[in-house]
Amino acid sequence: MINYKVFDDGQAVVEALSQELLEYSQSTQPVHISLSGGSTPKLWFKYLADHYRDKINWNNLHFWWGDERCVAPNDPESNYGQAKALLLDHIEMNPENIHRIIGENDPEEEAQRLAEEICQSVPKVHGIPAFDWIVLGMGDDGHTASLFPHHTDFNDPDLTLVAEHPQSGQLRVSKSARLLSNAERITYLVLGEGKAQRLQEIATHDSVDLPYPAAKIKARNITEWYLDANAAKDL
């Protein structure tokens, strides 16, 4: 079952996400959460730092990333660097709970290292690591993480991979479709009118007929889309 949740604007989206992160942090078990890069998480991270810094039990949470560009953490394109500047530098969180993808490493070696760390740290369901919550974005072309239309092997048995951006050729380390799909919950964050047409296509077609990874990758239990009114205008 896929749920579409429409909010008035991006501010309302990040307020809802923050409350849910607070509830996760109150769990009696460690919670493994995979974060996304992009503009919407920037808004979320800043809101968390400003309003939830002292409310969330950060040390109950483990932060991972869906993908990372093969750049150093101080590069403006680094997903980890973005989260560090806007959130991680402003909260009290055990450094061992922050599992960054090391973008400056050799990509193939880093993908393997990341897979091993995930296997050692994240509890398994059906023999595969199962994240509690994976937050993803969607590109204008329907890609998610670094899984691109017509360039993604949905039957890839590996947990991680090295992807090449179809236009720029930039290398990225990403979770695989197999690993993403074994999550308990996936939340897609989509804001803005520019995503409305692609979203309408995903919402009204069988995912089998579409090439978009964002349409095909669904969690074991909860798959949901958090949208602002502009993104949802054609639904």
Short mmCIF file of all heavy atoms in Angstrom, two decimals, residues 107-135:
data_model
loop_
_atom_site.label_atom_id
_atom_site.label_comp_id
_atom_site.label_asym_id
_atom_site.label_seq_id
_atom_site.Cartn_x
_atom_site.Cartn_y
_atom_site.Cartn_z
N PRO A 107 35.90 4.42 -5.07
CA PRO A 107 34.47 4.09 -5.07
C PRO A 107 34.16 2.61 -4.88
O PRO A 107 33.29 2.26 -4.08
CB PRO A 107 34.00 4.60 -6.44
CG PRO A 107 34.95 5.69 -6.80
CD PRO A 107 36.27 5.25 -6.24
N GLU A 108 34.84 1.74 -5.61
CA GLU A 108 34.55 0.31 -5.50
C GLU A 108 34.89 -0.21 -4.11
O GLU A 108 34.14 -1.00 -3.52
CB GLU A 108 35.31 -0.47 -6.57
CG GLU A 108 34.89 -0.17 -8.00
CD GLU A 108 33.50 -0.72 -8.33
OE1 GLU A 108 32.96 -1.51 -7.52
OE2 GLU A 108 32.95 -0.35 -9.39
N GLU A 109 36.02 0.23 -3.58
CA GLU A 109 36.42 -0.21 -2.25
C GLU A 109 35.46 0.33 -1.19
O GLU A 109 35.13 -0.36 -0.23
CB GLU A 109 37.85 0.25 -1.95
CG GLU A 109 38.90 -0.45 -2.81
CD GLU A 109 40.31 0.06 -2.52
OE1 GLU A 109 40.46 0.94 -1.64
OE2 GLU A 109 41.25 -0.41 -3.19
N GLU A 110 34.99 1.57 -1.39
CA GLU A 110 34.06 2.16 -0.43
C GLU A 110 32.71 1.46 -0.46
O GLU A 110 32.09 1.25 0.60
CB GLU A 110 33.90 3.65 -0.69
CG GLU A 110 32.90 4.35 0.22
CD GLU A 110 33.20 4.20 1.70
OE1 GLU A 110 34.33 3.82 2.07
OE2 GLU A 110 32.28 4.44 2.51
N ALA A 111 32.24 1.10 -1.64
CA ALA A 111 30.97 0.37 -1.73
C ALA A 111 31.06 -0.94 -0.97
O ALA A 111 30.12 -1.32 -0.24
CB ALA A 111 30.59 0.13 -3.19
N GLN A 112 32.18 -1.62 -1.09
CA GLN A 112 32.36 -2.89 -0.37
C GLN A 112 32.47 -2.66 1.13
O GLN A 112 31.86 -3.39 1.93
CB GLN A 112 33.61 -3.60 -0.88
CG GLN A 112 33.89 -4.94 -0.22
CD GLN A 112 32.77 -5.95 -0.42
OE1 GLN A 112 32.16 -6.00 -1.49
NE2 GLN A 112 32.48 -6.74 0.61
N ARG A 113 33.24 -1.65 1.53
CA ARG A 113 33.38 -1.34 2.96
C ARG A 113 32.02 -0.99 3.57
O ARG A 113 31.67 -1.44 4.66
CB ARG A 113 34.34 -0.16 3.15
CG ARG A 113 34.66 0.13 4.62
CD ARG A 113 35.04 1.58 4.85
NE ARG A 113 33.92 2.48 4.59
CZ ARG A 113 32.91 2.71 5.44
NH1 ARG A 113 32.86 2.06 6.60
NH2 ARG A 113 31.95 3.55 5.13
N LEU A 114 31.23 -0.18 2.84
CA LEU A 114 29.92 0.23 3.32
C LEU A 114 29.00 -0.99 3.50
O LEU A 114 28.30 -1.10 4.51
CB LEU A 114 29.29 1.22 2.35
CG LEU A 114 27.87 1.68 2.66
CD1 LEU A 114 27.82 2.43 3.99
CD2 LEU A 114 27.33 2.55 1.53
N ALA A 115 29.01 -1.88 2.53
CA ALA A 115 28.18 -3.08 2.62
C ALA A 115 28.54 -3.90 3.86
O ALA A 115 27.66 -4.40 4.58
CB ALA A 115 28.32 -3.92 1.36
N GLU A 116 29.83 -4.01 4.13
CA GLU A 116 30.27 -4.77 5.31
C GLU A 116 29.83 -4.09 6.60
O GLU A 116 29.37 -4.74 7.55
CB GLU A 116 31.79 -4.92 5.27
CG GLU A 116 32.27 -5.83 4.14
CD GLU A 116 33.76 -5.81 3.96
OE1 GLU A 116 34.45 -5.06 4.70
OE2 GLU A 116 34.27 -6.53 3.07
N GLU A 117 29.93 -2.76 6.64
CA GLU A 117 29.51 -2.03 7.84
C GLU A 117 28.00 -2.17 8.07
O GLU A 117 27.54 -2.35 9.20
CB GLU A 117 29.88 -0.55 7.73
CG GLU A 117 29.53 0.23 8.98
CD GLU A 117 29.94 1.70 8.90
OE1 GLU A 117 30.45 2.15 7.86
OE2 GLU A 117 29.72 2.40 9.92
N ILE A 118 27.23 -2.10 6.99
CA ILE A 118 25.78 -2.27 7.11
C ILE A 118 25.45 -3.66 7.64
O ILE A 118 24.62 -3.83 8.54
CB ILE A 118 25.11 -2.01 5.75
CG1 ILE A 118 25.20 -0.52 5.38
CG2 ILE A 118 23.65 -2.45 5.77
CD1 ILE A 118 24.77 -0.21 3.96
N CYS A 119 26.11 -4.67 7.08
CA CYS A 119 25.85 -6.05 7.51
C CYS A 119 26.20 -6.26 8.98
O CYS A 119 25.52 -7.01 9.69
CB CYS A 119 26.64 -7.03 6.65
SG CYS A 119 25.93 -7.32 5.03
N GLN A 120 27.23 -5.59 9.46
CA GLN A 120 27.65 -5.74 10.85
C GLN A 120 26.76 -4.97 11.83
O GLN A 120 26.67 -5.32 13.00
CB GLN A 120 29.10 -5.26 11.00
CG GLN A 120 30.11 -6.14 10.30
CD GLN A 120 31.48 -5.47 10.19
OE1 GLN A 120 31.68 -4.36 10.68
NE2 GLN A 120 32.41 -6.16 9.54
N SER A 121 26.08 -3.93 11.34
CA SER A 121 25.40 -3.00 12.23
C SER A 121 23.88 -3.07 12.20
O SER A 121 23.23 -2.80 13.22
CB SER A 121 25.82 -1.56 11.89
OG SER A 121 27.22 -1.40 11.90
N VAL A 122 23.30 -3.38 11.05
CA VAL A 122 21.85 -3.27 10.88
C VAL A 122 21.22 -4.66 11.01
O VAL A 122 21.63 -5.59 10.31
CB VAL A 122 21.51 -2.65 9.50
CG1 VAL A 122 20.00 -2.53 9.32
CG2 VAL A 122 22.17 -1.27 9.37
N PRO A 123 20.22 -4.82 11.87
CA PRO A 123 19.55 -6.12 12.01
C PRO A 123 18.96 -6.59 10.69
O PRO A 123 18.55 -5.78 9.85
CB PRO A 123 18.45 -5.84 13.03
CG PRO A 123 18.95 -4.67 13.82
CD PRO A 123 19.71 -3.83 12.83
N LYS A 124 18.92 -7.91 10.50
CA LYS A 124 18.49 -8.48 9.22
C LYS A 124 17.06 -8.99 9.28
O LYS A 124 16.60 -9.47 10.32
CB LYS A 124 19.44 -9.61 8.82
CG LYS A 124 20.87 -9.15 8.52
CD LYS A 124 21.76 -10.32 8.15
CE LYS A 124 23.15 -9.86 7.74
NZ LYS A 124 23.87 -9.20 8.86
N VAL A 125 16.39 -8.88 8.16
CA VAL A 125 15.08 -9.49 7.93
C VAL A 125 15.19 -10.24 6.60
O VAL A 125 15.68 -9.68 5.62
CB VAL A 125 13.96 -8.44 7.86
CG1 VAL A 125 12.63 -9.10 7.50
CG2 VAL A 125 13.83 -7.69 9.19
N HIS A 126 14.79 -11.51 6.59
CA HIS A 126 14.95 -12.35 5.40
C HIS A 126 16.41 -12.43 4.97
O HIS A 126 16.71 -12.52 3.77
CB HIS A 126 14.10 -11.84 4.24
CG HIS A 126 12.65 -11.66 4.58
ND1 HIS A 126 11.91 -12.62 5.24
CD2 HIS A 126 11.81 -10.62 4.35
CE1 HIS A 126 10.67 -12.18 5.41
NE2 HIS A 126 10.58 -10.97 4.89
N GLY A 127 17.31 -12.36 5.95
CA GLY A 127 18.73 -12.47 5.66
C GLY A 127 19.38 -11.23 5.08
O GLY A 127 20.56 -11.26 4.72
N ILE A 128 18.65 -10.12 5.01
CA ILE A 128 19.16 -8.88 4.42
C ILE A 128 19.02 -7.76 5.46
O ILE A 128 18.00 -7.68 6.15
CB ILE A 128 18.36 -8.50 3.16
CG1 ILE A 128 18.36 -9.65 2.17
CG2 ILE A 128 18.94 -7.24 2.49
CD1 ILE A 128 17.39 -9.44 1.01
N PRO A 129 20.02 -6.89 5.60
CA PRO A 129 19.87 -5.77 6.53
C PRO A 129 18.59 -4.99 6.24
O PRO A 129 18.26 -4.73 5.08
CB PRO A 129 21.12 -4.92 6.27
CG PRO A 129 22.13 -5.90 5.75
CD PRO A 129 21.34 -6.88 4.93
N ALA A 130 17.88 -4.64 7.31
CA ALA A 130 16.58 -3.97 7.16
C ALA A 130 16.59 -2.67 7.95
O ALA A 130 16.54 -2.67 9.19
CB ALA A 130 15.46 -4.88 7.66
N PHE A 131 16.65 -1.57 7.25
CA PHE A 131 16.61 -0.26 7.89
C PHE A 131 15.20 0.00 8.42
O PHE A 131 14.20 -0.40 7.83
CB PHE A 131 17.03 0.83 6.91
CG PHE A 131 18.50 0.88 6.67
CD1 PHE A 131 19.11 0.02 5.76
CD2 PHE A 131 19.31 1.75 7.39
CE1 PHE A 131 20.47 0.04 5.56
CE2 PHE A 131 20.67 1.79 7.19
CZ PHE A 131 21.26 0.93 6.28
N ASP A 132 15.14 0.70 9.55
CA ASP A 132 13.84 1.04 10.13
C ASP A 132 13.12 2.10 9.28
O ASP A 132 11.90 2.01 9.10
CB ASP A 132 14.03 1.57 11.56
CG ASP A 132 14.62 0.51 12.46
OD1 ASP A 132 13.90 -0.44 12.81
OD2 ASP A 132 15.81 0.62 12.82
N TRP A 133 13.88 3.06 8.79
CA TRP A 133 13.28 4.17 8.05
C TRP A 133 14.29 4.68 7.03
O TRP A 133 15.42 5.00 7.40
CB TRP A 133 12.88 5.28 9.02
CG TRP A 133 12.03 6.38 8.43
CD1 TRP A 133 11.26 6.32 7.32
CD2 TRP A 133 11.86 7.70 8.98
NE1 TRP A 133 10.61 7.52 7.12
CE2 TRP A 133 10.96 8.38 8.14
CE3 TRP A 133 12.38 8.36 10.08
CZ2 TRP A 133 10.58 9.71 8.37
CZ3 TRP A 133 11.99 9.68 10.32
CH2 TRP A 133 11.09 10.34 9.47
N ILE A 134 13.89 4.69 5.78
CA ILE A 134 14.73 5.26 4.73
C ILE A 134 14.01 6.45 4.12
O ILE A 134 12.87 6.32 3.65
CB ILE A 134 15.07 4.22 3.64
CG1 ILE A 134 15.96 3.12 4.22
CG2 ILE A 134 15.75 4.89 2.45
CD1 ILE A 134 16.39 2.06 3.21
N VAL A 135 14.65 7.59 4.17
CA VAL A 135 14.11 8.81 3.58
C VAL A 135 14.79 9.03 2.23
O VAL A 135 16.02 9.04 2.14
CB VAL A 135 14.34 10.01 4.51
CG1 VAL A 135 13.79 11.29 3.88
CG2 VAL A 135 13.71 9.77 5.87
#
